[in-house]
């Protein structure tokens, strides 16, 4: 039995009828950018994820960038985030004109540690940007307290955590503002690129609607230097279909994870631990093993696909060399980057496939 890391053909097949109908509706409407599908999607998304408003944009990177810009973050400002995340998190900070500042991780969750964030703060810190990594919520309360004391905003990078809950609340706009990505592999993914900002302040929502559309108030009236970051009607229609399945898909992800947790327990790997404050949605199921590369190779030989999220901490990436980071700066992130391995996990994965993966990990982890 082979178990690919992802299976989009199975995903599309399960939805084909609903998707075809949605796509046909848009084609028949003759309206492709900023129209009724996008508006309906924004309303449905905000309602599903417990935000006052949602502003759909072209991708998750620009959702982060525009959220920061709408809050007034720009050149000369520092934004504290994680060194172990999609590089796009920190690239978005740079695109907003600000400087990413990294803070080391809590070894239990691999999310940023509030103590490390506190140590990284300077008089130039203008926003906090924690990431709900792998679908597991970051411990928000201490970070919100830090932000409140300093009078600065906290933007949630919820690009991996659609529907996850922190102390009973859906993440994304618990702080008042957060970013989502609809990259195809995300828990809620388009058939192309897409993103959204969840936001509770109507003024900020208004600024975001301007910024994503060239800074226009009305057509041809450009009041700020915005960009083109619009979600098209086809993707919005697809996302409306998929949003209806999100809760069930997240439950299925948790059920697959439960098989992994039960059947890998006791093997020579470190398993993810859901914290008491969290209800994770397992965007990724990430184990840790000291000889990760040989374990990945051995699984590959059995037809089991794995990936590494992420092999190089951001402070060691050439794209961020100007920030002056060096090996040893963030020991928890650096150690994790050498040990983490993402196992296949998606709603279409069968119980039999999950058991096969678990049995292989058990058997190979001891030998790898
Ligand atoms: C996917 C992702 C992004 C970027 O989203 P895109 O839609 O690919 O631009 C940002 N942050 C995190 C944590 C992500 O997983």
């Amino acid at each position: 039995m082979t178990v690919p890391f992802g299976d989009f053909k199975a995903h599309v097949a399960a939805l084909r009828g609903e998707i075809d109908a949605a796509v046909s509706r848009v084609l028949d409407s003759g309206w492709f950018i900023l129209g009724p599908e996008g508006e309906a999607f924004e309303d449905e998304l905000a309602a599903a994820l417990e935000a006052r408003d949602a502003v759909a944009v072209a991708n998750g990177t620009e959702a982060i960038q525009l959220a920061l810009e709408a809050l007034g973050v720009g050149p000369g400002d520092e934004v504290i985030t994680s060194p172990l995340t999609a590089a796009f998190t920190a690239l978005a900070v740079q695109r907003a004109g600000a400087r990413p500042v990294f803070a080391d991780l809590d070894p239990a969750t691999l999310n940023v540690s509030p103590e490390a964030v506190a140590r990284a703060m300077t008089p130039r810190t203008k926003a906090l940007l924690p990431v709900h990594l792998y679908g597991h919520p970051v411990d928000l309360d201490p970070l919100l307290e830090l932000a409140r004391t300093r009078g600065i905003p906290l933007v949630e990078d919820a690009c991996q955590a659609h529907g996850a809950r922190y102390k009973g609340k859906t993440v994304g706009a618990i702080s008042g503002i957060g970013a989502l990505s609809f990259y195809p592999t995300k828990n809620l993914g388009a058939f192309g690129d897409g993103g959204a900002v969840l936001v509770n302040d109507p003024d900020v929502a208004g600024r975001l609607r301007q910024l994503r559309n060239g800074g226009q108030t009305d057509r041809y009236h450009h009041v700020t230097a915005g960009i083109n970051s619009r979600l098209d009607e086809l993707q919005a229609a697809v996302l409306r279909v998929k949003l209806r399945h999100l809760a069930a898909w997240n439950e299925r992800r948790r059920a697959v994870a439960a098989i992994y947790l039960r059947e890998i327990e006791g093997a020579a790997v470190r398993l993810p631990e859901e914290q008491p404050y969290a209800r994770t949605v397992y965007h990724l199921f990430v184990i840790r093993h000291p000889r990760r590369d040989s374990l990945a190779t051995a699984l590959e030989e059995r037809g089991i696909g794995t990936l590494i999220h992420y092999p190089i901490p951001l402070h060691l990436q050439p794209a961020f060399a100007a920030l002056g980071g060096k090996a040893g700066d963030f020991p928890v992130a650096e150690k994790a980057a050498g040990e983490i391995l993402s196992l296949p996990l998606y709603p279409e994965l069968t119980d039999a496939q999950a058991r096969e993966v678990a049995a292989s990990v058990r058997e190979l982890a001891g030998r790898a």
Side-chain angles (χ1 to χ4, degrees), residues 57-146:
V57 296
N59 54 64
T61 307
E62 288 171 352
I64 298 168
Q65 176 193 335
L66 295 182
L68 292 169
E69 289 182 7
L71 295 166
V73 176
D77 297 333
E78 294 177 353
V79 176
I80 301 178
T81 192
S82 171
L84 189 72
T85 173
F88 296 95
T89 304
L91 292 170
V93 173
Q94 295 199 147
R95 283 286 142 189
R99 178 186 175 89
V101 171
F102 301 115
D104 210 357
L105 311 178
D106 170 357
T109 61
L110 303 184
N111 278 323
V112 281
S113 135
E115 292 74 32
V117 171
R119 281 195 299 276
M121 288 178 85
T122 77
R124 291 175 300 282
T125 306
K126 192 64 187 291
L128 305 185
L129 177 61
V131 180
H132 301 296
L133 192 71
Y134 307 149
H136 187 290
V138 69
D139 189 5
L140 270 178
D141 279 345
L143 295 173
L144 287 169
E145 181 57 22
L146 277 176

Side-chain angles (χ1 to χ4, degrees), residues 178-261:
L180 298 174
S181 162
F182 307 122
Y183 184 76
T185 59
K186 305 290 158 106
N187 289 38
L188 178 63
F191 292 138
D193 276 311
V197 182
L198 297 177
V199 56
N200 293 340
D201 180 331
D203 293 334
V204 178
R207 283 204 287 283
L208 284 162
R209 286 184 208 286
Q210 265 179 35
L211 285 170
R212 74 169 172 189
N213 194 21
Q216 295 174 89
T217 44
D218 301 303
R219 193 183 286 194
Y220 309 128
H221 293 268
H222 297 260
V223 297
T224 50
I227 61 173
N228 172 0
S229 185
R230 301 174 297 225
L231 183 74
D232 66 74
E233 291 282 281
L234 279 169
Q235 297 305 338
V238 165
L239 286 162
R240 290 181 70 196
V241 169
K242 293 214 201 181
L243 180 60
R244 296 199 285 270
H245 297 277
L246 176 64
W249 285 336
N250 283 342
E251 284 313 310
R252 177 65 196 153
R253 284 176 181 270
R254 288 180 58 87
V256 173
I259 294 174
Y260 285 163
L261 290 170

